[in-house]
Coordinates of all heavy atoms in Angstrom, one line a residue:
M3 N 0.8 -1.1 0.0 CA 0.1 0.0 0.0 C 0.9 1.3 0.0 O 1.7 1.3 0.7 CB -0.9 0.0 1.2 CG -1.7 1.2 1.4 SD -3.1 1.0 2.7 CE -2.3 1.8 4.1
D4 N 0.7 2.1 -0.8 CA 1.3 3.4 -1.0 C 0.8 4.3 0.2 O -0.4 4.6 0.3 CB 0.9 4.1 -2.3 CG 1.7 5.5 -2.4 OD1 2.4 5.9 -1.4 OD2 1.5 6.1 -3.6
T5 N 1.7 4.6 1.2 CA 1.3 5.3 2.4 C 0.7 6.7 2.1 O 0.1 7.3 2.9 CB 2.4 5.3 3.4 OG1 3.6 6.0 2.8 CG2 2.7 4.0 3.9
S6 N 1.0 7.3 1.0 CA 0.4 8.5 0.5 C -0.9 8.5 0.2 O -1.6 9.5 0.2 CB 1.4 9.3 -0.4 OG 1.3 8.6 -1.7
Q7 N -1.3 7.4 -0.3 CA -2.8 7.2 -0.8 C -3.4 6.2 0.2 O -2.9 5.2 0.5 CB -2.7 6.6 -2.2 CG -2.2 7.5 -3.3 CD -3.2 8.7 -3.4 OE1 -4.3 8.6 -3.4 NE2 -2.4 9.8 -3.6
P8 N -4.7 6.5 0.7 CA -5.3 5.6 1.6 C -5.8 4.3 0.9 O -6.0 4.3 -0.3 CB -6.5 6.4 2.0 CG -6.7 7.5 0.9 CD -5.5 7.7 0.3
L9 N -5.8 3.3 1.6 CA -6.5 2.1 1.3 C -8.0 2.3 1.2 O -8.6 2.8 2.2 CB -6.0 0.9 2.2 CG -6.9 -0.5 1.9 CD1 -6.5 -1.0 0.6 CD2 -6.3 -1.3 3.1
V10 N -8.6 2.0 0.1 CA -10.1 2.2 0.0 C -10.7 0.9 -0.1 O -10.4 0.1 -0.9 CB -10.5 3.1 -1.2 CG1 -11.9 3.3 -1.3 CG2 -9.7 4.5 -1.1
M11 N -11.7 0.7 0.7 CA -12.5 -0.5 0.8 C -14.0 -0.1 0.7 O -14.3 1.0 1.1 CB -12.3 -1.2 2.0 CG -10.9 -1.6 2.3 SD -10.6 -2.8 3.7 CE -11.5 -2.0 5.0
T12 N -14.8 -1.0 0.1 CA -16.2 -0.6 0.1 C -16.9 -1.9 0.6 O -16.8 -3.0 0.1 CB -16.6 -0.5 -1.5 OG1 -15.9 0.7 -2.0 CG2 -18.1 -0.2 -1.6
L13 N -18.0 -1.5 1.5 CA -18.8 -2.6 2.1 C -20.0 -2.7 1.1 O -20.6 -1.7 0.6 CB -19.4 -2.1 3.4 CG -18.4 -2.4 4.6 CD1 -19.1 -1.9 5.9 CD2 -18.2 -3.8 4.6
P14 N -20.4 -4.0 0.8 CA -21.6 -4.2 -0.1 C -22.8 -3.9 0.7 O -22.8 -3.8 1.8 CB -21.4 -5.7 -0.5 CG -20.7 -6.3 0.6 CD -19.6 -5.2 1.2
A15 N -23.9 -4.1 0.0 CA -25.2 -3.6 0.6 C -25.6 -4.6 1.8 O -26.0 -4.1 2.9 CB -26.4 -3.9 -0.4
R16 N -25.2 -5.9 1.7 CA -25.5 -6.8 2.8 C -24.2 -7.6 2.9 O -24.1 -8.7 2.5 CB -26.6 -7.7 2.6 CG -28.0 -7.1 2.3 CD -28.6 -6.8 3.8 NE -30.0 -6.2 3.4 CZ -30.4 -5.5 4.4 NH1 -29.8 -5.3 5.5 NH2 -31.6 -4.8 4.2
P17 N -23.2 -7.1 3.8 CA -22.0 -7.8 3.8 C -22.0 -9.0 4.6 O -22.6 -9.0 5.8 CB -21.1 -6.8 4.6 CG -21.9 -5.9 5.3 CD -23.2 -5.8 4.4
S18 N -21.6 -10.1 4.1 CA -21.7 -11.3 4.9 C -20.6 -11.4 5.8 O -19.7 -10.6 5.7 CB -21.6 -12.5 3.9 OG -20.3 -12.6 3.4
R19 N -20.6 -12.4 6.8 CA -19.5 -12.6 7.7 C -18.2 -12.9 6.9 O -17.1 -12.4 7.2 CB -19.9 -13.7 8.7 CG -18.9 -13.7 9.9 CD -19.5 -14.6 10.9 NE -19.5 -14.2 12.4 CZ -19.3 -13.1 13.0 NH1 -18.9 -12.1 12.4 NH2 -19.5 -13.0 14.3
D20 N -18.3 -13.6 5.9 CA -17.2 -14.1 5.0 C -16.6 -12.8 4.4 O -15.3 -12.6 4.3 CB -17.5 -15.1 4.0 CG -17.7 -16.5 4.6 OD1 -17.2 -16.8 5.7 OD2 -18.3 -17.3 3.9
E21 N -17.5 -11.8 3.9 CA -16.9 -10.7 3.3 C -16.3 -9.8 4.3 O -15.2 -9.3 4.0 CB -18.1 -9.9 2.7 CG -17.7 -8.6 2.0 CD -16.8 -8.7 0.7 OE1 -17.0 -9.8 0.1 OE2 -16.1 -7.8 0.5
V22 N -16.8 -9.7 5.4 CA -16.2 -8.9 6.4 C -14.8 -9.5 7.0 O -13.8 -8.8 7.1 CB -17.1 -8.7 7.7 CG1 -16.3 -7.9 8.7 CG2 -18.3 -7.9 7.3
N23 N -14.7 -10.9 7.1 CA -13.6 -11.5 7.3 C -12.5 -11.2 6.2 O -11.2 -11.0 6.4 CB -13.7 -13.0 7.3 CG -14.4 -13.4 8.8 OD1 -14.4 -12.6 9.6 ND2 -15.0 -14.5 8.6
R24 N -12.9 -11.2 4.9 CA -11.9 -10.9 3.8 C -11.4 -9.6 3.9 O -10.2 -9.2 3.7 CB -12.6 -11.1 2.5 CG -12.7 -12.6 2.1 CD -13.2 -12.6 0.5 NE -14.6 -12.3 0.4 CZ -15.6 -13.1 0.7 NH1 -15.4 -14.4 0.9 NH2 -16.8 -12.7 0.3
L25 N -12.4 -8.5 4.2 CA -12.0 -7.2 4.4 C -10.8 -7.0 5.5 O -9.9 -6.2 5.5 CB -13.0 -6.2 4.5 CG -14.0 -6.0 3.3 CD1 -15.2 -5.2 3.7 CD2 -13.2 -5.4 2.2
C26 N -11.2 -7.7 6.7 CA -10.3 -7.7 7.8 C -8.9 -8.2 7.6 O -7.9 -7.7 7.9 CB -10.9 -8.4 9.0 SG -12.2 -7.6 9.8
A27 N -9.0 -9.3 6.7 CA -7.6 -10.0 6.2 C -6.9 -8.9 5.2 O -5.7 -8.9 5.4 CB -8.0 -11.3 5.5
R28 N -7.6 -8.2 4.4 CA -7.0 -7.2 3.7 C -6.3 -6.2 4.5 O -5.2 -5.7 4.1 CB -8.1 -6.7 2.8 CG -7.5 -5.7 1.7 CD -8.7 -5.3 0.6 NE -8.1 -4.2 -0.1 CZ -8.9 -3.3 -0.8 NH1 -10.1 -3.4 -0.7 NH2 -8.3 -2.5 -1.5
L29 N -6.9 -5.8 5.6 CA -6.4 -4.7 6.5 C -5.1 -5.5 7.2 O -4.1 -4.7 7.2 CB -7.3 -4.4 7.7 CG -8.5 -3.4 7.2 CD1 -9.4 -3.4 8.4 CD2 -8.1 -2.2 6.8
G30 N -5.2 -6.7 7.4 CA -4.0 -7.3 8.1 C -2.8 -7.5 7.2 O -1.7 -7.5 7.5
A31 N -3.0 -7.7 5.8 CA -1.9 -7.7 4.9 C -1.4 -6.4 4.4 O -0.3 -6.3 3.9 CB -2.5 -8.5 3.6
A32 N -2.0 -5.3 4.7 CA -1.5 -3.9 4.3 C -0.7 -3.3 5.4 O -1.1 -3.5 6.6 CB -2.7 -3.1 4.0
P33 N 0.4 -2.6 5.0 CA 1.1 -1.9 6.1 C 0.2 -0.8 6.7 O -0.7 -0.3 6.1 CB 2.3 -1.3 5.3 CG 1.9 -1.2 3.9 CD 0.8 -2.3 3.7
P34 N 0.5 -0.3 7.9 CA -0.3 0.5 8.7 C -0.4 1.8 7.9 O 0.5 2.2 7.3 CB 0.5 0.8 10.1 CG 1.3 -0.4 10.2 CD 1.6 -0.9 8.8
G35 N -1.5 2.4 7.8 CA -1.9 3.7 7.2 C -3.2 4.2 7.4 O -4.0 3.7 8.0
E36 N -3.6 5.0 6.4 CA -4.9 5.5 6.4 C -5.8 4.6 5.5 O -5.5 4.2 4.5 CB -4.9 6.8 5.6 CG -6.1 7.7 5.5 CD -6.5 8.4 6.7 OE1 -5.6 8.8 7.4 OE2 -7.7 8.8 6.7
V37 N -7.1 4.4 6.1 CA -8.0 3.5 5.4 C -9.3 4.2 5.3 O -9.9 4.8 6.3 CB -8.2 2.1 6.1 CG1 -9.3 1.4 5.6 CG2 -6.9 1.4 6.4
V38 N -10.0 4.2 4.1 CA -11.3 4.8 3.9 C -12.2 3.7 3.7 O -11.9 2.8 2.6 CB -11.3 5.8 2.8 CG1 -12.6 6.3 2.5 CG2 -10.3 6.9 3.0
C39 N -13.3 3.5 4.4 CA -14.2 2.5 4.1 C -15.7 3.1 3.7 O -16.2 3.9 4.5 CB -14.4 1.6 5.5 SG -15.6 0.2 5.2
E40 N -16.0 2.8 2.4 CA -17.1 3.4 1.9 C -18.3 2.6 2.4 O -18.3 1.3 2.2 CB -17.1 3.4 0.5 CG -16.1 4.2 -0.2 CD -16.3 5.8 -0.2 OE1 -17.4 6.2 0.0 OE2 -15.3 6.5 -0.3
V41 N -19.3 3.2 3.0 CA -20.4 2.5 3.7 C -21.8 2.9 3.1 O -22.8 2.3 3.6 CB -20.5 2.5 5.3 CG1 -19.2 1.8 5.8 CG2 -20.6 4.0 5.7
G42 N -21.7 3.7 2.2 CA -23.1 4.2 1.4 C -23.9 3.1 1.0 O -25.1 3.3 0.7
A43 N -23.4 2.0 0.4 CA -24.1 1.0 -0.1 C -24.8 0.1 0.8 O -25.7 -0.8 0.4 CB -23.2 0.1 -1.0
L44 N -24.4 0.3 2.1 CA -25.2 -0.7 3.2 C -26.7 -0.4 3.0 O -27.2 0.7 3.1 CB -24.7 -0.2 4.5 CG -23.4 -0.8 5.0 CD1 -23.0 -0.2 6.3 CD2 -23.2 -2.3 5.1
G45 N -27.3 -1.6 2.8 CA -28.8 -1.5 2.6 C -29.4 -1.7 3.9 O -29.5 -2.7 4.6
G46 N -30.1 -0.6 4.3 CA -30.8 -0.7 5.6 C -29.9 -0.7 6.8 O -28.8 -1.3 6.8
A47 N -30.3 -0.1 7.9 CA -29.5 -0.1 9.0 C -30.0 -1.3 9.9 O -31.0 -1.3 10.5 CB -29.6 1.3 9.8
D48 N -29.1 -2.2 10.2 CA -29.4 -3.3 11.1 C -28.1 -3.6 12.0 O -27.2 -3.0 11.8 CB -29.9 -4.5 10.4 CG -28.9 -5.0 9.4 OD1 -27.9 -4.6 9.5 OD2 -29.4 -5.8 8.7
L49 N -28.4 -4.5 13.0 CA -27.2 -4.8 13.9 C -26.1 -5.5 13.1 O -24.9 -5.4 13.5 CB -27.8 -5.5 15.0 CG -28.6 -4.8 16.0 CD1 -29.2 -5.5 17.2 CD2 -27.9 -3.4 16.5
A50 N -26.4 -6.2 12.0 CA -25.3 -6.9 11.3 C -24.4 -5.8 10.7 O -23.1 -5.9 10.7 CB -26.0 -7.7 10.1
A51 N -24.9 -4.6 10.3 CA -24.1 -3.6 9.8 C -23.2 -3.0 10.8 O -22.1 -2.7 10.6 CB -25.0 -2.4 9.1
V52 N -23.8 -2.8 12.0 CA -23.1 -2.3 13.2 C -22.0 -3.3 13.5 O -20.8 -2.9 13.7 CB -24.0 -2.1 14.4 CG1 -23.2 -1.7 15.6 CG2 -25.1 -1.0 14.1
D53 N -22.2 -4.5 13.4 CA -21.3 -5.5 13.8 C -20.1 -5.5 12.7 O -18.9 -5.5 13.1 CB -21.8 -6.9 13.8 CG -20.8 -8.0 14.1 OD1 -20.3 -8.1 15.1 OD2 -20.6 -8.9 13.1
A54 N -20.4 -5.4 11.6 CA -19.4 -5.3 10.4 C -18.4 -4.1 10.6 O -17.4 -4.2 10.6 CB -20.1 -5.3 9.1
L55 N -19.1 -3.0 10.9 CA -18.3 -1.6 11.1 C -17.4 -1.8 12.4 O -16.3 -1.4 12.3 CB -19.2 -0.6 11.2 CG -20.0 -0.2 10.0 CD1 -20.8 1.1 10.3 CD2 -19.1 0.0 8.8
A56 N -17.9 -2.4 13.4 CA -17.1 -2.5 14.7 C -16.0 -3.5 14.4 O -14.8 -3.3 15.0 CB -18.1 -3.0 15.8
R57 N -16.2 -4.7 13.7 CA -15.1 -5.6 13.4 C -14.0 -4.9 12.6 O -12.9 -5.2 12.9 CB -15.7 -6.8 12.9 CG -16.6 -7.7 13.7 CD -17.3 -8.8 13.2 NE -16.1 -9.7 12.5 CZ -16.3 -10.5 11.5 NH1 -17.4 -10.6 10.8 NH2 -15.3 -11.2 11.0
L58 N -14.4 -4.2 11.6 CA -13.5 -3.5 10.8 C -12.7 -2.4 11.6 O -11.5 -2.3 11.5 CB -14.1 -2.8 9.6 CG -14.7 -3.8 8.5 CD1 -15.6 -3.1 7.5 CD2 -13.4 -4.5 7.9
K59 N -13.3 -1.8 12.4 CA -12.7 -0.7 13.2 C -11.6 -1.4 14.3 O -10.5 -1.0 14.4 CB -13.6 0.1 14.1 CG -13.1 1.0 15.2 CD -12.6 2.3 14.5 CE -12.0 3.2 15.7 NZ -11.6 4.4 15.0
L60 N -12.0 -2.5 14.8 CA -11.2 -3.3 15.7 C -10.0 -3.8 14.9 O -8.8 -3.7 15.4 CB -11.8 -4.4 16.4 CG -12.8 -3.9 17.5 CD1 -13.6 -5.2 18.0 CD2 -11.9 -3.3 18.7
A61 N -10.2 -4.5 13.8 CA -9.1 -5.1 12.9 C -8.1 -3.9 12.4 O -6.9 -4.2 12.5 CB -9.8 -5.8 11.7
A62 N -8.6 -2.8 12.1 CA -7.8 -1.7 11.7 C -7.0 -1.3 12.9 O -5.8 -1.0 12.6 CB -8.7 -0.6 11.1
G63 N -7.6 -1.0 14.0 CA -6.8 -0.6 15.1 C -5.7 -1.5 15.5 O -4.5 -1.1 15.9
R64 N -5.9 -2.9 15.5 CA -5.0 -3.7 15.9 C -3.8 -3.8 15.0 O -2.7 -4.3 15.4 CB -5.6 -5.2 15.9 CG -6.5 -5.4 17.0 CD -7.1 -6.8 17.0 NE -8.1 -7.1 17.9 CZ -9.3 -7.7 17.9 NH1 -9.6 -8.0 16.7 NH2 -10.2 -7.7 18.9
R65 N -3.9 -3.5 13.7 CA -2.9 -3.3 12.8 C -2.3 -2.0 12.5 O -1.5 -1.8 11.6 CB -3.4 -4.0 11.5 CG -3.5 -5.5 11.5 CD -4.5 -6.0 10.8 NE -4.7 -7.4 11.0 CZ -5.6 -8.1 11.7 NH1 -6.4 -7.4 12.4 NH2 -5.7 -9.4 11.8
G66 N -2.7 -1.0 13.3 CA -2.0 0.3 13.3 C -2.6 1.1 12.2 O -2.1 2.3 11.9
H67 N -3.8 0.8 11.7 CA -4.5 1.8 10.6 C -5.3 2.7 11.3 O -5.9 2.5 12.4 CB -5.4 0.8 9.7 CG -4.7 -0.2 8.9 ND1 -3.9 0.1 7.9 CD2 -4.7 -1.6 8.9 CE1 -3.4 -1.1 7.3 NE2 -3.9 -2.0 8.1
R68 N -5.6 3.9 10.5 CA -6.4 4.8 10.9 C -7.6 4.8 9.9 O -7.4 5.0 8.7 CB -5.9 6.3 10.8 CG -4.8 6.5 11.8 CD -4.0 7.9 11.6 NE -3.5 8.0 10.2 CZ -2.6 7.5 9.7 NH1 -1.8 6.7 10.4 NH2 -2.1 7.7 8.4
I69 N -8.7 4.3 10.4 CA -9.9 4.0 9.4 C -10.8 5.1 9.6 O -11.2 5.6 10.7 CB -10.4 2.6 9.7 CG1 -11.4 2.2 8.6 CG2 -11.1 2.3 11.1 CD1 -11.8 0.7 8.6
R70 N -11.5 5.4 8.6 CA -12.7 6.3 8.7 C -13.8 5.8 7.6 O -13.5 5.2 6.6 CB -12.4 7.8 8.3 CG -12.0 8.1 6.8 CD -11.7 9.6 6.7 NE -11.5 9.9 5.2 CZ -10.5 9.9 4.7 NH1 -9.2 9.8 5.3 NH2 -10.4 10.3 3.3
F71 N -15.0 5.9 8.2 CA -16.1 5.5 7.4 C -16.9 6.7 6.8 O -17.0 7.7 7.3 CB -17.1 4.8 8.3 CG -16.5 3.6 9.1 CD1 -16.0 3.6 10.4 CD2 -16.4 2.3 8.4 CE1 -15.3 2.7 11.0 CE2 -15.8 1.3 9.0 CZ -15.3 1.4 10.3
E72 N -17.0 6.5 5.5 CA -17.7 7.6 4.7 C -18.9 7.2 4.1 O -19.3 6.0 3.7 CB -16.7 8.0 3.5 CG -15.4 8.6 4.1 CD -14.6 9.3 3.0 OE1 -14.8 8.9 1.8 OE2 -13.7 10.1 3.4
A73 N -19.8 8.2 3.9 CA -21.1 8.1 3.1 C -22.2 7.2 4.0 O -23.0 6.6 3.4 CB -20.9 7.4 1.8
A74 N -22.1 7.2 5.3 CA -23.1 6.5 6.0 C -24.4 7.4 6.0 O -24.5 8.6 6.1 CB -22.7 6.6 7.6
G75 N -25.5 6.7 5.6 CA -26.8 7.2 5.5 C -27.4 7.6 6.9 O -26.9 7.2 7.9
P76 N -28.6 8.3 6.8 CA -29.1 8.8 8.0 C -29.7 7.7 9.0 O -29.6 7.8 10.2 CB -30.3 9.7 7.6 CG -30.4 9.5 6.2 CD -29.2 8.8 5.7
E77 N -30.1 6.7 8.3 CA -30.6 5.5 9.2 C -29.5 4.8 10.0 O -29.5 4.4 11.1 CB -31.4 4.5 8.4 CG -32.7 4.8 7.9 CD -33.4 3.9 7.1 OE1 -32.9 2.5 7.1 OE2 -34.3 4.1 6.5
L78 N -28.3 4.5 9.3 CA -27.2 3.8 9.8 C -26.6 4.9 10.9 O -26.3 4.3 12.0 CB -26.2 3.6 8.7 CG -24.9 3.0 9.3 CD1 -25.2 1.7 10.0 CD2 -23.9 2.8 8.2
R79 N -26.6 6.1 10.7 CA -26.0 6.9 11.8 C -26.8 7.0 12.9 O -26.4 7.1 14.0 CB -25.9 8.4 11.1 CG -24.8 8.8 10.2 CD -24.8 10.2 9.6 NE -23.7 10.4 8.7 CZ -22.4 10.6 9.2 NH1 -22.1 10.6 10.4 NH2 -21.5 10.8 8.3
A80 N -28.2 7.0 12.7 CA -29.1 6.9 13.8 C -28.9 5.7 14.6 O -28.9 5.8 16.0 CB -30.7 7.0 13.4
L81 N -28.8 4.6 13.9 CA -28.6 3.2 14.7 C -27.2 3.3 15.4 O -27.2 2.8 16.5 CB -28.7 2.1 13.6 CG -28.5 0.8 14.4 CD1 -29.7 0.5 15.4 CD2 -28.7 -0.2 13.3
L82 N -26.2 3.8 14.9 CA -24.9 3.9 15.6 C -25.0 4.8 16.8 O -24.4 4.5 17.7 CB -23.9 4.3 14.6 CG -23.5 3.4 13.5 CD1 -22.6 4.1 12.4 CD2 -23.0 2.0 13.8
L83 N -25.8 5.9 16.7 CA -25.9 6.7 18.0 C -26.7 6.0 18.9 O -26.4 5.9 20.2 CB -26.7 7.9 17.5 CG -25.9 9.1 16.8 CD1 -26.7 10.1 16.1 CD2 -24.8 9.7 17.7
L84 N -27.7 5.3 18.5 CA -28.7 4.5 19.5 C -27.8 3.5 20.2 O -28.1 3.2 21.4 CB -29.8 3.9 18.7 CG -30.8 3.1 19.5 CD1 -31.5 4.0 20.5 CD2 -31.9 2.4 18.6
T85 N -26.9 2.7 19.4 CA -26.1 1.6 20.0 C -24.9 2.1 20.8 O -24.2 1.3 21.4 CB -25.7 0.6 18.9 OG1 -24.9 1.3 18.0 CG2 -26.8 -0.1 18.3
G86 N -24.6 3.5 20.6 CA -23.5 4.0 21.4 C -22.1 3.8 20.8 O -21.2 4.1 21.4
V87 N -22.1 3.5 19.4 CA -20.8 3.2 18.8 C -20.5 4.3 17.9 O -19.3 4.3 17.2 CB -20.7 1.9 18.3 CG1 -20.9 0.7 19.3 CG2 -21.8 1.7 17.1
A88 N -21.4 5.3 17.5 CA -21.0 6.3 16.6 C -19.8 7.0 16.9 O -18.9 7.3 16.0 CB -22.2 7.3 16.5
E89 N -19.5 7.4 18.1 CA -18.2 8.1 18.4 C -17.0 7.2 18.4 O -16.1 7.7 17.8 CB -18.4 8.7 19.8 CG -17.3 9.7 20.2 CD -17.5 10.5 21.5 OE1 -18.7 10.7 21.9 OE2 -16.6 10.7 22.2
T90 N -17.2 6.1 18.8 CA -16.1 5.0 18.6 C -15.7 4.8 17.2 O -14.5 4.8 16.9 CB -16.5 3.8 19.3 OG1 -16.7 3.9 20.6 CG2 -15.4 2.6 19.1
L91 N -16.7 4.9 16.3 CA -16.4 4.5 14.9 C -16.0 5.9 14.1 O -15.6 5.8 13.0 CB -17.6 3.9 14.2 CG -18.0 2.5 14.6 CD1 -19.1 2.2 14.0 CD2 -16.9 1.6 14.5
G92 N -16.2 7.0 14.9 CA -15.7 8.3 14.2 C -16.8 8.9 13.4 O -16.4 9.6 12.5
L93 N -18.1 8.5 13.6 CA -19.1 9.1 12.8 C -19.9 10.2 13.6 O -20.1 10.1 14.7 CB -20.1 8.0 12.3 CG -19.5 6.9 11.4 CD1 -20.4 5.8 11.2 CD2 -19.2 7.6 10.1

């Protein structure tokens, strides 16, 4: 990964556990740096989406990455506030 350019990842509308595991593995294979995770495609706000974002945040932190989530819709933002993880995720 070129440290001057962030690693960009995109979550699909309904990320499966396997998909999130693949993204976490991708984080693990990249040298520490800036990561941008596009979450605008997430379809509907549910606890599976919250789980996926939390797992990515933890995986990034463990490997020294600075991750930011972009394009979260209003429903997802509201759910993250309700669950108390919005601030932890940087939203």
Side-chain angles (χ1 to χ4, degrees):
M3 178 171 96
D4 178 357
T5 56
S6 64
Q7 294 295 319
L9 171 64
V10 178
M11 301 187 314
T12 302
L13 276 178
R16 296 275 178 210
S18 68
R19 194 166 228 5
D20 287 340
E21 178 67 24
V22 175
N23 287 339
R24 280 190 292 278
L25 291 172
C26 288
R28 186 173 170 201
L29 287 171
E36 182 89 19
V37 178
V38 176
C39 185
E40 300 284 342
V41 298
L44 281 173
D48 59 17
L49 292 178
V52 173
D53 178 65
L55 296 179
R57 289 180 57 212
L58 287 169
K59 174 73 173 182
L60 286 171
R64 287 182 184 135
R65 286 152 180 97
H67 296 291
R68 294 171 312 282
I69 191 168
R70 72 178 188 265
F71 300 99
E72 292 189 345
E77 287 182 16
L78 179 58
R79 286 182 179 276
L81 183 58
L82 293 172
L83 284 168
L84 181 66
T85 57
V87 296
E89 193 171 320
T90 300
L91 296 176
L93 293 170

